[in-house]
């Protein structure tokens, strides 16, 4: 609406059509901090006609799919494992040791870890300090709804000896339906840390 714009409640501070692009005839929508609930169909319309009689002309339609990050990582025993959080949506890090069915909580946003300081949050990353062979397995970062934002399969190599007792972790059972990323029809793939540029000519 001229220089004014209105954003939907769940898109506040995340959706933008830059005026400098619009002045050149490009009405592409930039969607930041993409999340699973953003998946769906986006359509742009040109509104024409007088004040009382207006018509909407479809310009473009895009089906957006959102998927989680998947990585395989190898780290030497005794060194730190660094995991990207990608987004502020990250609420919890869970771990499944190789060969076991259980998932354990290693980190939760906003909760004090007490004396267990071997997992640290540093900006947009988590650091698992001085890993050992038993740290091999699958690491998942999930959001507040239990949906997987990233999955990293980690193998610990080398034979560096460790000292001291291993830190005991709180064990939880996770509903597999909530841990796995939703199955979406993939047309446009976006990573959660990226900006989505939906080109609407």
């Amino acid at each position: 609406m001229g220089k004014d714009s209105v954003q939907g409640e769940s898109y506040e501070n995340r959706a933008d059509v830059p005026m400098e692009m619009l002045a050149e005839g490009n009405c592409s929508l930039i969607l930041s901090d993409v999340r699973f609930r953003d998946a769906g169909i986006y359509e742009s319309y040109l509104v024409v006609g007088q004040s009382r009689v207006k018509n909407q002309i479809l310009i473009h339609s895009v089906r957006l799919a959102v998927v989680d990050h998947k990585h395989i990582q190898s780290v030497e025993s005794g060194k730190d494992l660094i995991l990207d959080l990608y987004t502020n949506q990250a609420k919890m890090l869970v771990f499944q040791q190789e060969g076991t069915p259980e998932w354990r909580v290693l980190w939760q946003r906003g909760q004090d870890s007490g004396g267990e300081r071997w997992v640290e949050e540093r900006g947009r990353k988590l650091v698992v300090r001085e890993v050992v062979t038993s740290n091999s397995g699958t690491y998942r970062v999930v959001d507040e709804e239990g949906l997987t934002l990233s999955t990293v399969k980690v193998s610990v190599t080398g034979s560096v000896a460790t000292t001291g007792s291993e830190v005991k972790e709180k064990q939880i059972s996770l509903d597999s339906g909530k841990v796995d990323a939703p199955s979406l029809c993939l047309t446009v793939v976006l990573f959660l840390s990226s900006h989505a540029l939906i080109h609407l000519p």
Side-chain angles (χ1 to χ4, degrees):
M1 296 188 297
K3 293 184 178 180
D4 296 329
S5 64
V6 178
Q7 299 175 347
E9 182 178 350
S10 61
Y11 294 91
E12 289 182 358
N13 302 317
R14 297 198 302 123
D16 186 31
V17 179
M19 289 298 297
E20 59 272 17
M21 294 171 57
L22 194 59
E24 298 176 357
N26 184 347
C27 60
S28 295
L29 169 71
I30 297 178
L31 183 59
S32 304
D33 196 17
V34 180
R35 51 201 63 179
F36 290 116
R37 67 185 63 174
D38 293 335
I41 298 176
Y42 291 78
E43 296 177 340
S44 66
Y45 292 87
L46 178 65
V47 180
V48 297
Q50 302 300 321
S51 58
R52 292 186 179 180
V53 181
K54 293 184 179 181
N55 294 318
Q56 290 185 336
I57 301 174
L58 177 65
I59 298 176
H60 201 57
S61 178
V62 175
R63 180 182 293 275
L64 175 66
V66 182
V67 299
D68 65 317
H69 299 262
K70 288 183 171 64
H71 300 286
I72 297 175
Q73 191 170 338
S74 178
V75 60
E76 293 181 12
S77 180
K79 293 190 175 180
D80 293 346
L81 168 64
I82 299 176
L83 302 170
D84 288 311
L85 291 177
Y86 296 106
T87 171
N88 290 331
Q89 302 168 53
K91 297 297 180 183
M92 184 184 301
L93 172 68
V94 296
F95 169 64
Q96 183 184 49
Q97 189 178 19
E98 232 173 35
T100 63
E102 296 85 9
W103 289 90
R104 309 178 198 173
V105 174
L106 301 186
W107 166 86
Q108 291 188 68
R109 186 182 298 280
Q111 291 199 8
D112 186 10
S113 59
E116 301 181 358
R117 301 292 183 183
W118 64 289
V119 179
E120 298 177 352
E121 181 180 1
R122 297 179 187 171
R124 296 284 287 269
K125 299 180 184 295
L126 289 177
V127 179
V128 182
R129 297 174 52 194
E130 300 178 358
V131 297
V132 294
T133 304
S134 60
N135 295 132
S136 296
T138 302
Y139 294 77
R140 282 182 175 170
V141 177
V142 299
D143 64 13
E144 60 185 4
E145 297 177 358
L147 297 174
T148 302
L149 300 174
S150 65
T151 301
V152 183
K153 291 187 179 295
V154 175
S155 60
V156 179
T157 61
S159 57
V160 177
T162 59
T163 59
S165 60
E166 293 186 0
V167 177
K168 294 183 180 180
E169 302 131 354
K170 180 181 178 183
Q171 180 175 324
I172 64 166
S173 61
L174 294 177
D175 182 355
S176 59
K178 290 185 178 180
V179 171
D180 294 333
S183 175
L184 300 172
C185 177
L186 177 61
T187 301
V188 180
V189 177
L190 298 174
F191 291 120
L192 289 165
S193 62
S194 304
H195 291 325
L197 178 60
I198 301 175
H199 185 61
L200 304 170

